[in-house]
Amino acid sequence: MNSIIRSRFSIKQFALLSKFHSPVAAMATTTANPIEAAIRTGLTKELAPVHLEVVNESYMHNVPKGSETHFKVLVVSQQFDGLPLIKRHRLVNDIVKTQLAGDFVHALSIVAKTPQQWDEAYKLQPSPNCKGGFGK
């Protein structure tokens, strides 16, 4: 993937992008967000993804500022090859549950693809705005 990024951007732009696409750098930028960092660490360690996005969408819900309760994950891994979608989601859920060990996550939206299914042009769409819960 780095060769693809490198061909589209200047060296300076690539260095900046590499900082944010590196799992280690991503961890460093999320130390103030321990649940996000734990999700990222677990998925990186267990699935060796070729692409990973962990998006905290908690700000879109009726939760205190800075909460980590609602996440969207896009993970592309060869380990999904041959697995039906339900087993991919279960695998991601098990990894996150194990990694968080008791920390609360209210919602986890998962997009799990194999590298062959992955299209780099794909963009995660934001979830719809929260309507306040309780059928409102």
Side-chain angles (χ1 to χ4, degrees):
M1 181 170 167
N2 286 347
S3 61
I4 294 168
I5 292 173
R6 211 175 285 127
S7 67
R8 289 192 204 161
F9 299 98
S10 71
I11 299 293
K12 186 176 181 180
Q13 289 170 319
F14 175 72
L16 182 62
L17 282 171
S18 295
K19 175 182 175 187
F20 294 106
H21 285 283
S22 159
V24 174
M27 290 258 322
T29 62
T30 60
T31 54
N33 304 320
I35 293 176
E36 180 181 340
I39 292 169
R40 188 176 303 279
T41 298
L43 295 176
T44 299
K45 182 175 133 185
E46 298 295 327
L47 297 176
V50 296
H51 184 85
L52 175 63
E53 294 179 42
V54 179
V55 180
N56 182 350
E57 293 187 327
S58 302
Y59 70 93
M60 298 168 63
H61 299 273
N62 188 18
V63 296
K65 187 175 181 171
S67 292
E68 292 186 282
T69 56
H70 297 72
F71 287 93
K72 185 172 275 194
V73 171
L74 166 62
V75 58
V76 181
S77 174
Q78 192 63 48
Q79 292 190 36
F80 295 141
D81 193 34
L83 293 179
L85 189 57
I86 189 72
K87 288 191 177 183
R88 295 175 190 188
H89 282 222
R90 285 179 181 154
L91 179 59
V92 170
N93 272 316
D94 287 345
I95 292 167
V96 169
K97 182 173 74 172
T98 300
Q99 191 67 27
L100 294 179
D103 284 330
F104 177 74
V105 172
H106 176 73
L108 180 64
S109 172
I110 301 167
V111 178
K113 298 190 177 282
T114 66
Q116 295 77 21
Q117 295 170 323
W118 173 236
D119 176 2
E120 289 193 36
Y122 178 81
K123 302 286 185 221
L124 270 177
Q125 298 299 314
S127 296
N129 287 331
C130 179
K131 296 183 179 189
F134 305 108
K136 294 181 183 177

